[in-house]
PDB file of all heavy atoms in Angstrom:
ATOM      1  N   THR A  80     126.251 172.978 120.444  1.00 44.00           N
ATOM      2  CA  THR A  80     125.545 172.606 121.676  1.00 44.00           C
ATOM      3  C   THR A  80     125.065 171.163 121.607  1.00 44.00           C
ATOM      4  O   THR A  80     125.207 170.407 122.570  1.00 44.00           O
ATOM      5  CB  THR A  80     124.348 173.551 121.917  1.00 44.00           C
ATOM      6  OG1 THR A  80     124.833 174.890 121.939  1.00 44.00           O
ATOM      7  CG2 THR A  80     123.646 173.232 123.215  1.00 44.00           C
ATOM      8  N   THR A  81     124.496 170.768 120.476  1.00 51.00           N
ATOM      9  CA  THR A  81     124.031 169.390 120.301  1.00 51.00           C
ATOM     10  C   THR A  81     125.196 168.426 120.379  1.00 51.00           C
ATOM     11  O   THR A  81     125.114 167.390 121.041  1.00 51.00           O
ATOM     12  CB  THR A  81     123.300 169.228 118.958  1.00 51.00           C
ATOM     13  OG1 THR A  81     122.226 170.162 118.905  1.00 51.00           O
ATOM     14  CG2 THR A  81     122.769 167.828 118.781  1.00 51.00           C
ATOM     15  N   LEU A  82     126.306 168.775 119.722  1.00 51.00           N
ATOM     16  CA  LEU A  82     127.482 167.916 119.736  1.00 51.00           C
ATOM     17  C   LEU A  82     128.001 167.730 121.151  1.00 51.00           C
ATOM     18  O   LEU A  82     128.291 166.622 121.582  1.00 51.00           O
ATOM     19  CB  LEU A  82     128.585 168.500 118.850  1.00 51.00           C
ATOM     20  CG  LEU A  82     129.896 167.721 118.796  1.00 51.00           C
ATOM     21  CD1 LEU A  82     129.657 166.347 118.202  1.00 51.00           C
ATOM     22  CD2 LEU A  82     130.912 168.477 117.966  1.00 51.00           C
ATOM     23  N   LYS A  83     128.087 168.807 121.921  1.00 58.00           N
ATOM     24  CA  LYS A  83     128.568 168.713 123.295  1.00 58.00           C
ATOM     25  C   LYS A  83     127.629 167.865 124.148  1.00 58.00           C
ATOM     26  O   LYS A  83     128.069 167.062 124.957  1.00 58.00           O
ATOM     27  CB  LYS A  83     128.719 170.104 123.904  1.00 58.00           C
ATOM     28  CG  LYS A  83     129.914 170.854 123.377  1.00 58.00           C
ATOM     29  CD  LYS A  83     130.022 172.226 123.999  1.00 58.00           C
ATOM     30  CE  LYS A  83     131.192 172.988 123.413  1.00 58.00           C
ATOM     31  NZ  LYS A  83     131.297 174.346 123.955  1.00 58.00           N
ATOM     32  N   GLY A  84     126.339 168.040 123.979  1.00 63.00           N
ATOM     33  CA  GLY A  84     125.368 167.241 124.728  1.00 63.00           C
ATOM     34  C   GLY A  84     125.471 165.779 124.371  1.00 63.00           C
ATOM     35  O   GLY A  84     125.455 164.909 125.252  1.00 63.00           O
ATOM     36  N   ASP A  85     125.573 165.474 123.087  1.00 79.00           N
ATOM     37  CA  ASP A  85     125.715 164.091 122.645  1.00 79.00           C
ATOM     38  C   ASP A  85     126.997 163.474 123.188  1.00 79.00           C
ATOM     39  O   ASP A  85     127.014 162.332 123.613  1.00 79.00           O
ATOM     40  CB  ASP A  85     125.704 163.998 121.117  1.00 79.00           C
ATOM     41  CG  ASP A  85     124.340 164.292 120.520  1.00 79.00           C
ATOM     42  OD1 ASP A  85     123.339 164.301 121.258  1.00 79.00           O
ATOM     43  OD2 ASP A  85     124.285 164.509 119.291  1.00 79.00           O
ATOM     44  N   TRP A  86     128.079 164.248 123.163  1.00 82.00           N
ATOM     45  CA  TRP A  86     129.351 163.715 123.657  1.00 82.00           C
ATOM     46  C   TRP A  86     129.256 163.415 125.146  1.00 82.00           C
ATOM     47  O   TRP A  86     129.801 162.422 125.621  1.00 82.00           O
ATOM     48  CB  TRP A  86     130.509 164.665 123.375  1.00 82.00           C
ATOM     49  CG  TRP A  86     131.773 164.141 123.987  1.00 82.00           C
ATOM     50  CD1 TRP A  86     132.494 164.710 124.980  1.00 82.00           C
ATOM     51  CD2 TRP A  86     132.422 162.900 123.692  1.00 82.00           C
ATOM     52  NE1 TRP A  86     133.556 163.908 125.322  1.00 82.00           N
ATOM     53  CE2 TRP A  86     133.531 162.786 124.545  1.00 82.00           C
ATOM     54  CE3 TRP A  86     132.163 161.870 122.801  1.00 82.00           C
ATOM     55  CZ2 TRP A  86     134.380 161.692 124.523  1.00 82.00           C
ATOM     56  CZ3 TRP A  86     133.021 160.777 122.783  1.00 82.00           C
ATOM     57  CH2 TRP A  86     134.117 160.697 123.629  1.00 82.00           C
ATOM     58  N   ASN A  87     128.563 164.244 125.903  1.00 82.00           N
ATOM     59  CA  ASN A  87     128.410 163.994 127.336  1.00 82.00           C
ATOM     60  C   ASN A  87     127.698 162.676 127.590  1.00 82.00           C
ATOM     61  O   ASN A  87     128.045 161.948 128.518  1.00 82.00           O
ATOM     62  CB  ASN A  87     127.680 165.150 128.022  1.00 82.00           C
ATOM     63  CG  ASN A  87     128.557 166.360 128.182  1.00 82.00           C
ATOM     64  OD1 ASN A  87     129.773 166.256 128.257  1.00 82.00           O
ATOM     65  ND2 ASN A  87     127.947 167.520 128.224  1.00 82.00           N
ATOM     66  N   VAL A  88     126.718 162.343 126.761  1.00 84.00           N
ATOM     67  CA  VAL A  88     126.009 161.067 126.893  1.00 84.00           C
ATOM     68  C   VAL A  88     126.953 159.912 126.566  1.00 84.00           C
ATOM     69  O   VAL A  88     127.033 158.927 127.301  1.00 84.00           O
ATOM     70  CB  VAL A  88     124.758 161.034 125.982  1.00 84.00           C
ATOM     71  CG1 VAL A  88     124.133 159.646 125.971  1.00 84.00           C
ATOM     72  CG2 VAL A  88     123.744 162.070 126.423  1.00 84.00           C
ATOM     73  N   VAL A  89     127.693 160.039 125.463  1.00 85.00           N
ATOM     74  CA  VAL A  89     128.644 158.994 125.060  1.00 85.00           C
ATOM     75  C   VAL A  89     129.698 158.806 126.153  1.00 85.00           C
ATOM     76  O   VAL A  89     130.023 157.683 126.533  1.00 85.00           O
ATOM     77  CB  VAL A  89     129.312 159.346 123.704  1.00 85.00           C
ATOM     78  CG1 VAL A  89     130.445 158.386 123.387  1.00 85.00           C
ATOM     79  CG2 VAL A  89     128.280 159.340 122.583  1.00 85.00           C
ATOM     80  N   LYS A  90     130.223 159.915 126.662  1.00 86.00           N
ATOM     81  CA  LYS A  90     131.247 159.870 127.704  1.00 86.00           C
ATOM     82  C   LYS A  90     130.709 159.149 128.939  1.00 86.00           C
ATOM     83  O   LYS A  90     131.392 158.305 129.518  1.00 86.00           O
ATOM     84  CB  LYS A  90     131.677 161.295 128.053  1.00 86.00           C
ATOM     85  CG  LYS A  90     132.753 161.360 129.104  1.00 86.00           C
ATOM     86  CD  LYS A  90     133.329 162.751 129.271  1.00 86.00           C
ATOM     87  CE  LYS A  90     132.364 163.746 129.796  1.00 86.00           C
ATOM     88  NZ  LYS A  90     132.997 165.030 130.150  1.00 86.00           N
ATOM     89  N   GLY A  91     129.482 159.457 129.326  1.00 87.00           N
ATOM     90  CA  GLY A  91     128.883 158.793 130.479  1.00 87.00           C
ATOM     91  C   GLY A  91     128.750 157.295 130.283  1.00 87.00           C
ATOM     92  O   GLY A  91     129.028 156.509 131.195  1.00 87.00           O
TER      93      GLY A  91
END
Side-chain angles (χ1 to χ4, degrees):
T80 304
T81 303
L82 179 63
K83 286 180 182 178
D85 290 345
W86 176 245
N87 285 333
V88 172
V89 171
K90 181 170 66 171

